[in-house]
Amino acid sequence: MQCLAELHSHSTVSDGKPTPEEIVLRAVYLGLSAIAVSDHNTFRGSAIAIESAKKLDLNITVIPANEVRTIRGDVLVLCERIPYEEPPKIPNELHEWAISNNCITIAAHPFHIGRKSVGRYLKNNPKDFDAIEVWNPRGIPFLNKPATKLAEKYFKPQTSGSDAHVLQELGTSPTKIESNECDLYSILDAIRKGKCAPTKSYMKISTIFNVLKWSIKRRI
């Protein structure tokens, strides 16, 4: 059985345009099996998304997530539950914290120029990451290639994510999860074991326009 999981998205809780509820509803509309609302340095977006899914009785798995901005760059953290404490901002400490909290760490857009990326640190410390995001449709496409090469070199599980900041981006590049169940624990376990594969898709021109419009509006 294959589950489609959007592992990277942002809401109004950080720098995204849609609310967590809108993200969950859009994910259901797209037919996704799971959604991670990974706002920067907080699990609050995920907490709201989880409550929204319960309240609306939606058939989708909501993964507690956080894109932690460490001192070396951005790291996606996916957990079995909302943690009771804040994750550390040092990558090796973050990985240890993740293990003790039943979470996994994923190097986000590791080699994308102009973004908070962990590429240089990842090259020398692959053990501090459970998986690598090898495809992120934002930015220049060829900048995803070094991530794929590094994942292959160190036999790291490969994921993808839209890094959505507007609804139209959501589901552009979901991760394909090989699992008999699409529940939270099965999805995280499958990623740990490398039973996952990236979807390498590009944003539509209309989506790029909406992304640029939101980026400009957010900065004004």
Side-chain angles (χ1 to χ4, degrees), residues 87-139:
K89 302 292 177 63
I90 300 173
N92 66 313
E93 293 181 6
L94 176 61
H95 190 241
E96 292 174 3
W97 176 93
I99 293 171
S100 64
N101 283 276
N102 297 317
C103 303
I104 61 174
T105 57
I106 304 174
H109 46 72
F111 295 100
H112 283 236
I113 297 171
R115 305 174 73 179
K116 303 296 183 180
S117 302
V118 294
R120 183 176 297 178
Y121 181 86
L122 173 63
K123 283 182 177 179
N124 298 316
N125 302 275
K127 61 180 176 53
D128 289 339
F129 302 90
D130 297 303
I132 299 175
E133 184 183 74
V134 302
W135 188 266
N136 184 305
R138 283 181 153 240

Side-chain angles (χ1 to χ4, degrees), residues 88-196:
K89 302 292 177 63
I90 300 173
N92 66 313
E93 293 181 6
L94 176 61
H95 190 241
E96 292 174 3
W97 176 93
I99 293 171
S100 64
N101 283 276
N102 297 317
C103 303
I104 61 174
T105 57
I106 304 174
H109 46 72
F111 295 100
H112 283 236
I113 297 171
R115 305 174 73 179
K116 303 296 183 180
S117 302
V118 294
R120 183 176 297 178
Y121 181 86
L122 173 63
K123 283 182 177 179
N124 298 316
N125 302 275
K127 61 180 176 53
D128 289 339
F129 302 90
D130 297 303
I132 299 175
E133 184 183 74
V134 302
W135 188 266
N136 184 305
R138 283 181 153 240
I140 304 171
F142 75 81
L143 294 176
N144 290 301
K145 291 183 179 180
T148 300
K149 289 183 178 179
L150 203 64
E152 291 173 347
K153 179 179 179 180
Y154 292 110
F155 303 99
K156 290 289 183 180
Q158 301 181 29
T159 69
S160 56
S162 70
D163 199 355
H165 286 66
V166 300
L167 277 180
Q168 292 84 351
E169 290 180 274
L170 203 72
T172 302
S173 298
T175 297
K176 294 174 282 190
I177 308 291
E178 297 298 332
S179 174
N180 291 327
E181 301 291 338
C182 294
D183 62 277
L184 176 58
Y185 308 104
S186 297
I187 289 172
L188 293 184
D189 187 55
I191 295 173
R192 287 188 185 99
K193 294 177 178 177
K195 295 181 178 180
C196 57

Side-chain angles (χ1 to χ4, degrees):
M1 182 176 176
Q2 189 177 91
C3 309
L4 288 178
E6 170 62 84
L7 302 180
H8 196 168
S9 68
H10 300 276
S11 76
T12 49
V13 171
S14 58
D15 58 351
K17 184 178 181 181
T19 65
E21 182 177 272
E22 288 173 329
I23 290 175
V24 173
L25 287 169
R26 178 70 175 174
V28 171
Y29 172 78
L30 293 172
L32 295 172
S33 307
I35 177 70
V37 180
S38 51
D39 282 303
H40 294 287
N41 297 320
T42 179
F43 284 95
R44 194 162 73 87
S46 287
I48 296 170
I50 290 168
E51 288 304 310
S52 296
K54 289 180 180 177
K55 181 181 177 181
L56 298 171
D57 193 26
L58 300 176
N59 183 27
I60 191 168
T61 297
V62 182
I63 304 170
N66 181 342
E67 186 173 14
V68 180
R69 182 147 289 173
T70 73
I71 60 172
R72 299 289 186 172
D74 292 342
V75 180
L76 286 171
V77 178
L78 310 181
C79 301
E80 292 182 2
R81 58 171 175 76
I82 301 292
Y84 295 113
E85 57 185 7
E86 292 297 315
K89 302 292 177 63
I90 300 173
N92 66 313
E93 293 181 6
L94 176 61
H95 190 241
E96 292 174 3
W97 176 93
I99 293 171
S100 64
N101 283 276
N102 297 317
C103 303
I104 61 174
T105 57
I106 304 174
H109 46 72
F111 295 100
H112 283 236
I113 297 171
R115 305 174 73 179
K116 303 296 183 180
S117 302
V118 294
R120 183 176 297 178
Y121 181 86
L122 173 63
K123 283 182 177 179
N124 298 316
N125 302 275
K127 61 180 176 53
D128 289 339
F129 302 90
D130 297 303
I132 299 175
E133 184 183 74
V134 302
W135 188 266
N136 184 305
R138 283 181 153 240
I140 304 171
F142 75 81
L143 294 176
N144 290 301
K145 291 183 179 180
T148 300
K149 289 183 178 179
L150 203 64
E152 291 173 347
K153 179 179 179 180
Y154 292 110
F155 303 99
K156 290 289 183 180
Q158 301 181 29
T159 69
S160 56
S162 70
D163 199 355
H165 286 66
V166 300
L167 277 180
Q168 292 84 351
E169 290 180 274
L170 203 72
T172 302
S173 298
T175 297
K176 294 174 282 190
I177 308 291
E178 297 298 332
S179 174
N180 291 327
E181 301 291 338
C182 294
D183 62 277
L184 176 58
Y185 308 104
S186 297
I187 289 172
L188 293 184
D189 187 55
I191 295 173
R192 287 188 185 99
K193 294 177 178 177
K195 295 181 178 180
C196 57
T199 298
K200 298 183 178 181
S201 302
Y202 300 88
M203 286 192 290
K204 297 178 180 178
I205 297 299
S206 58
T207 301
I208 294 174
F209 174 76
N210 284 315
V211 169
L212 290 173
K213 193 163 83 169
W214 169 244
S215 181
I216 293 169
K217 183 177 180 179
R218 190 167 59 83
R219 285 169 171 75
I220 293 178

